[in-house]
């Protein structure tokens, strides 16, 4: 039978201390921000009503202030000041997000509610030929045709110029010329649409050219080119240089490398940029007013005669000032929003479809 050596005293091993969070031993539940929001809204609405304030903007501002204050104070008491500052920053971010989203959601909801009352098959398949402003008949067909043709022509003109300019800046551009091109593209990105319209109008006056859908499309192309250049340039920069080097190492010319390797790799992002540029010009009104003049008749020839468009149609119906024209304006606005949203959804779908595959 073995015994422990003499003089050796066995001591019990002390229990390891329970790990303690460096930020505090207590923490708020995950649903605490939701509770703060409910209490803040109750205070932000209840106090103004008791004081006789009926402005929803005041309710929202007070609710936001109560939310920030309650989040900071409760977190300081329950946890610690460091966590309170972190939660305050998060709360400020959420409040700013809501401030930005609420007007957009309100605008979209109002347009859907007001536009759905008039939007139907008849409205989409008839024009305003022979229809008075006070009548409840008439449609948006002529304006829809004009928008599709003008935006289509602008796309055909601007996409090749924008694409080739971006390829030059990324693949070949060096020195003063590239810097000058980049500078002017940046300047063109911020010019108002009315300036592009005035530029084309001056050409029309000098050359005695009549208003037409083509003239409006030229102004829209001027607005579209810098967007295409910027988006395409950023997409081309994301293509790994290893792909270019591997192609060039096989003896393939640079132009063929760009055509067969670089552009196919970035085609998803380029298509997305083009779609977003189309959505950007689809709602322009000033160049159309100056260069196309608008028409209540169906004109499928964009190279001759006045044409209408969805933005011009909305402006025209609102200017009439009748209840029926207001309904048509809201319905046309809903059609325009749907057109832009479809383009954005198509752009996202193409971007996801053409995105580089990862993993096995």
């Amino acid at each position: 039978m073995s015994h422990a050596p003499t003089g050796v005293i066995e001591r019990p091993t002390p229990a390891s201390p329970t790990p303690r969070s460096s930020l505090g031993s207590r923490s708020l539940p995950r649903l605490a921000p939701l509770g703060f929001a409910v209490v803040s809204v109750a205070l932000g609405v209840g106090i103004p009503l008791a004081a006789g304030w009926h402005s929803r903007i005041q309710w929202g501002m007070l609710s936001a202030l109560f939310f920030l204050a309650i989040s900071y104070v409760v977190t300081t008491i329950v946890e610690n000041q460091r966590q309170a500052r972190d939660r305050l920053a998060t709360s400020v971010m959420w409040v700013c997000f809501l401030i930005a989203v609420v007007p957009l959601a309100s605008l979209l909801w109002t347009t859907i509610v007001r536009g759905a009352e008039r939007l139907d098959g008849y409205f989409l398949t008839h024009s305003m030929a022979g229809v008075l402003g006070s009548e409840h008949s008439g449609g948006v067909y002529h304006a829809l045709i004009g928008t599709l043709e003008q935006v289509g022509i602008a796309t055909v003109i601007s996409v090749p110029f924008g694409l080739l300019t971006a390829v030059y800046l990324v693949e070949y551009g060096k020195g003063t010329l590239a810097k000058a091109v980049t500078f002017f593209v940046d300047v063109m990105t911020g010019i108002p649409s009315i300036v592009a319209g005035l530029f084309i109008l001056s050409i029309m006056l000098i050359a005695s050219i009549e208003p037409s859908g083509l003239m409006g499309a030229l102004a829209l192309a001027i607005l579209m080119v810098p967007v295409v250049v910027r988006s395409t340039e950023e997409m081309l920069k994301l293509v790994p240089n290893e792909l270019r080097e591997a192609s060039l190492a096989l003896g393939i010319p640079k132009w063929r490398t760009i055509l067969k390797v670089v552009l196919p790799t970035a085609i998803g992002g380029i298509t997305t940029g083009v779609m977003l540029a189309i959505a950007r010009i689809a709602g322009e009104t000033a160049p159309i007013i100056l260069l196309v003049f608008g028409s209540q008749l169906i004109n499928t020839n964009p190279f001759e005669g006045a044409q209408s468009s969805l933005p011009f149609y909305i402006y025209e119906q609102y200017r009439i000032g009748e209840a029926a024209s207001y309904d048509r304006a809201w319905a046309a606005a809903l059609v325009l929003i749907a057109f832009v949203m479809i383009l954005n959804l198509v752009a996202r779908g193409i971007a996801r479809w053409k995105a580089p595959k990862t993993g096995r």
Side-chain angles (χ1 to χ4, degrees):
M1 188 173 188
S2 59
H3 298 278
T6 306
V8 177
I9 301 176
E10 295 182 356
R11 298 181 178 178
T13 303
S16 59
T18 302
R20 189 174 182 180
S21 174
S22 60
L23 297 179
S25 58
R26 296 180 298 175
S27 61
L28 290 169
R30 295 181 60 183
L31 296 179
L34 180 60
F36 298 158
V38 172
V39 174
S40 301
V41 171
L43 293 175
V45 175
I47 294 177
L49 285 178
W53 300 349
H54 299 285
S55 173
R56 295 181 179 180
I57 297 177
Q58 294 175 340
W59 297 354
M61 294 178 61
L62 287 176
S63 299
L65 293 176
F66 279 126
F67 179 71
L68 296 177
I70 293 174
S71 299
Y72 182 79
V73 172
V74 174
T75 306
T76 302
I77 295 173
V78 176
E79 297 180 355
N80 55 49
Q81 195 171 12
R82 181 178 178 181
Q83 284 283 30
R85 288 195 295 266
D86 178 75
R87 191 177 294 276
L88 178 62
T90 305
S91 301
V92 170
M93 179 191 68
W94 278 105
V95 169
C96 294
F97 170 75
L98 290 176
I99 291 175
V101 167
V102 167
L104 296 177
S106 176
L107 174 62
L108 182 60
W109 176 254
T110 304
T111 305
I112 292 175
V113 172
R114 296 289 301 273
E117 297 177 357
R118 185 66 181 82
L119 183 61
D120 52 20
Y122 178 88
F123 182 75
L124 294 175
T125 55
H126 287 75
S127 69
M128 291 295 296
V131 179
L132 299 178
S134 58
E135 296 181 3
H136 290 277
S137 58
V140 76
Y141 179 75
H142 62 300
L144 186 59
I145 292 296
T147 293
L148 292 175
E149 290 183 349
Q150 294 159 25
V151 171
I153 294 174
T155 302
V156 171
I157 294 174
S158 60
V159 168
F161 282 102
L163 182 60
L164 294 175
T165 303
V167 170
Y168 166 76
L169 292 176
V170 175
E171 304 294 337
Y172 297 97
K174 293 180 180 179
T176 306
L177 180 59
K179 293 180 180 179
V181 172
T182 302
F183 172 76
F184 282 110
V185 168
D186 292 337
V187 172
M188 289 178 62
T189 304
I191 64 171
S193 59
I194 189 67
V195 175
L198 289 174
F199 174 72
I200 300 299
L201 180 62
S202 63
I203 297 177
M204 291 173 58
L205 295 177
I206 293 174
S208 300
I209 301 175
E210 296 295 327
S212 64
L214 176 62
M215 297 297 104
L218 292 177
L220 297 180
I222 294 175
L223 300 174
M224 188 174 174
V225 165
V227 180
V228 176
V229 172
R230 271 284 162 256
S231 59
T232 304
E233 185 180 0
E234 295 302 322
M235 291 301 104
L236 294 178
K237 289 179 180 178
L238 294 177
V239 178
N241 285 327
E242 289 78 4
L243 295 178
R244 298 180 176 90
E245 294 170 356
S247 178
L248 295 174
L250 295 175
I252 299 176
K254 188 171 184 178
W255 69 269
R256 194 171 181 84
T257 298
I258 296 172
L259 189 63
K260 296 294 185 179
V261 177
V262 177
L263 290 179
T265 304
I267 190 62
I270 294 174
T271 307
T272 303
V274 171
M275 291 292 182
L276 295 178
I278 294 174
R280 182 248 189 273
I281 66 171
E284 293 294 343
T285 308
I288 306 302
I289 295 175
L290 286 176
L291 308 173
V292 184
F293 277 22
S295 174
Q296 295 184 346
L297 304 177
I298 299 174
N299 181 11
T300 58
N301 183 7
F303 303 102
E304 183 179 359
Q307 258 191 339
S308 185
S309 69
L310 287 174
F312 183 86
Y313 180 87
I314 297 169
Y315 164 76
E316 183 182 45
Q317 294 301 315
Y318 180 80
R319 188 179 57 179
I320 293 174
E322 299 287 343
S325 65
Y326 286 151
D327 293 338
R328 287 192 292 266
W330 280 110
L334 181 58
V335 173
L336 182 58
I337 290 177
F339 178 71
V340 174
M341 289 183 65
I342 290 172
L343 287 178
N344 281 273
L345 291 176
V346 170
R348 290 180 178 273
I350 293 175
R352 180 170 296 183
W353 174 43
K354 291 294 186 178
K357 303 298 185 293
T358 59
R360 295 184 178 179

